[in-house]
Amino acid sequence: MSRSHLPAQRPVTPRGGHAAPLPELASVPAAPPLEKPPTTHGRAAERPDEPQAVAETPDKQPGRHLGEQPDRQPGKQPSKPRDAFFDNAKYLAIVLVAMGHAWEPLRGDSRAAAALYITVYTFHMPAFIVISGYFSRSFDASPARLKRLVTGVAVPYVIFEVAYTFFKRWADDDPTYPISLLDPWYLTWFLIALFIWRLITPLWKIVHWPVPLALAVAVLASVSPDIGDDLDLQRVLQFLPFFVLGLVLKPEHFQLVRRREARILAVPVFAAALLFAYWAAPRMNAAWFYRRDSAQELAAPGWSGAVMTLAMFGCSVVLVACFFAWVPRRKMWFTALGAGTLYGYLLHGFVAKGSRFWDWYDLQWLHTPLGEITVTLAAAALITSLCTPPVQRLFRFAMEPDMKWAFRRDAAGIAGRGGRRS
């Protein structure tokens, strides 16, 4: 509400904090209440090579992004139309995620598939996390945001952790496989990581040199084999610098990589990355890119963990920038699918794991060039279909549950009173 709508004798000073609802203006009966903007928004013994996001949902567009926490606060002005660039980036990145999972069983027979796999794994996960961090800048641990963190991240984590476990029991003929919320299985690691990253976001917003500090944490994790597997903390800590990098980025930084010069420069950079990956494929342990183990657990000397962490961070940032440079800036036929990346991400895991459990890759023709192309196209088609609105409507109960019954209506007031007492 602009100041021009208020009586001159009763000036109102707006409260700070973008996440808080506007105060009630009982003395201004002529002003209608602001309407709510329409928003929508692996176990240790079996840790697959998967990584896997994150803008506010545009008006009248339902769905969830991978890593998204849309604002749903009453009294907030409708947000301006969302930049299609980020939706396009999320959709293209999730397609690369699915392709990477499809290529994993082909690496042993195809050096080209191994090179593509290494190249994609260098940047597709960091790209998701950078975007997640960028759109987490407003997270302030207020009651409303904590509610959304629980319903949008924690609850889907529990649901899919249990669902994946029962799926493994059935598909892999392993009826005693345990349910463990402390040991994320397959794709659910990203949800628990995002939950932790969001909780500590206020800390990174107040420290000096957040990215170097996060890199130091990642380096220490890479040389600490005693961290263990609980909550996949190795991944949480080793991928942390990308989330913190997203927190410190500004819109003008994304404008830099969207310039024509950046797109031109990205071509030779990607070509060089593919050539290096082709050379490194038979010589390098791809598990480095999963960031789920320390250097010692990869049978490497401890000092190599620090070197690899810093080197891979640099390579990943460069390739993420090149990837963003080639993401279309205008609305495309797939732009709307960017709102369903969380759906596609979690649901395609059942097919990806099922293909291993049911030995689909035992078909020899899949290991021919034509078979590899077929697998790639099938993965792209599958993930695309799982991001569509019908799938979102069908599984919204698990991805975006309405849990108003679980929270106190006066939570914000209680938190405010507690803050004043402290």
Side-chain angles (χ1 to χ4, degrees):
M1 177 181 296
S2 63
R3 293 177 182 267
S4 61
H5 291 84
L6 301 176
Q9 70 274 19
R10 296 291 301 276
V12 178
T13 302
R15 289 181 179 177
H18 56 81
L22 294 178
E24 296 182 4
L25 301 178
S27 61
V28 193
L34 293 176
E35 294 184 357
K36 178 180 178 180
T39 57
T40 59
H41 197 274
R43 307 243 191 271
E46 180 170 348
R47 309 259 296 270
D49 351 339
E50 83 301 328
Q52 311 343 292
V54 210
E56 294 181 0
T57 307
D59 295 341
K60 300 182 181 180
Q61 178 176 329
R64 281 287 307 284
H65 311 276
L66 193 57
E68 173 194 10
Q69 289 288 298
D71 285 330
R72 300 173 185 264
Q73 298 168 355
K76 184 175 179 178
Q77 295 288 352
S79 59
K80 63 181 180 180
R82 188 175 58 199
D83 191 344
F85 168 81
F86 291 105
D87 280 327
N88 295 336
K90 291 190 295 290
Y91 168 75
L92 294 175
I94 200 65
V95 169
L96 291 175
V97 167
M99 289 180 175
H101 292 162
W103 292 335
E104 194 276 333
L106 303 174
R107 293 181 299 147
D109 300 319
S110 173
R111 190 169 178 178
L116 287 170
Y117 181 87
I118 290 175
T119 303
V120 166
Y121 266 64
T122 303
F123 71 88
H124 73 348
M125 183 60 201
F128 271 129
I129 299 175
V130 167
I131 298 176
S132 296
Y134 180 71
F135 285 100
S136 296
R137 294 172 300 162
S138 61
F139 185 86
D140 55 4
S142 64
R145 294 186 185 277
L146 288 175
K147 290 178 185 178
R148 293 194 298 276
L149 185 62
V150 170
T151 59
V153 179
V155 171
Y157 168 73
V158 173
I159 291 174
F160 276 86
E161 182 68 18
V162 174
Y164 275 141
T165 300
F166 280 106
F167 176 74
K168 177 175 169 55
R169 289 181 179 182
W170 168 69
D172 199 28
D173 194 20
D174 187 2
T176 62
Y177 194 70
I179 296 175
S180 174
L181 298 182
L182 293 179
D183 195 2
W185 191 77
Y186 201 32
L187 307 181
T188 56
W189 74 267
F190 178 77
L191 295 179
I192 199 64
L194 184 62
F195 185 84
I196 295 173
W197 293 333
R198 280 248 167 88
L199 283 179
I200 62 175
T201 289
L203 170 64
W204 296 107
K205 292 163 66 176
I206 64 173
V207 299
H208 288 298
W209 315 296
V211 175
L213 181 58
L215 268 174
V217 172
V219 167
L220 290 174
S222 71
V223 298
S224 304
D226 294 333
I227 287 179
D229 299 319
D230 288 350
L231 301 181
D232 240 340
L233 281 179
Q234 278 288 359
R235 276 178 163 159
V236 173
L237 299 177
Q238 292 194 41
F239 276 115
L240 175 64
F242 299 104
F243 184 83
V244 176
L245 175 62
L247 288 175
V248 303
L249 289 178
K250 298 179 180 179
E252 50 265 34
H253 295 132
F254 288 94
Q255 293 295 334
L256 289 176
V257 299
R258 294 160 70 172
R259 296 166 56 184
R260 182 172 180 270
E261 296 87 345
R263 293 197 298 274
I264 295 174
L265 183 60
V267 175
V269 172
F270 264 125
L274 282 169
L275 287 175
F276 177 80
Y278 189 84
W279 172 84
R283 300 174 173 85
M284 184 177 182
N285 185 351
W288 283 106
F289 296 98
Y290 312 149
R291 294 176 171 87
R292 68 188 181 200
D293 300 299
S294 65
Q296 295 91 330
E297 291 173 295
L298 297 176
W303 59 265
S304 65
V307 174
M308 289 297 292
T309 298
L310 297 175
M312 290 192 303
F313 178 78
C315 293
S316 295
V317 168
V318 170
L319 291 185
V320 166
C322 292
F323 169 70
F324 286 153
W326 275 98
V327 170
R329 291 170 288 179
R330 64 184 184 278
K331 188 173 182 179
M332 308 292 289
W333 66 267
F334 54 79
T335 300
L337 300 180
T341 51
L342 179 64
Y343 293 80
Y345 168 65
L346 291 173
L347 293 173
H348 94 282
F350 293 101
V351 179
K353 293 302 293 183
S355 67
R356 276 69 154 182
F357 294 152
W358 300 320
D359 301 322
W360 292 355
Y361 283 89
D362 285 353
L363 298 173
Q364 289 303 312
W365 74 273
L366 291 179
H367 298 267
T368 65
L370 178 60
E372 293 166 358
I373 294 174
T374 301
V375 167
T376 301
L377 295 177
L382 172 67
I383 199 70
T384 298
S385 66
L386 293 177
C387 293
T388 56
V391 174
Q392 296 178 36
R393 289 193 293 270
L394 183 61
F395 290 96
R396 185 162 292 134
F397 74 94
M399 310 290 193
E400 304 176 81
D402 185 359
M403 297 181 61
K404 294 179 181 178
W405 54 267
F407 301 101
R408 297 179 57 167
R409 292 184 179 182
D410 59 346
I414 293 174
R417 292 195 297 271
R420 287 192 295 271
R421 284 196 298 269
S422 62

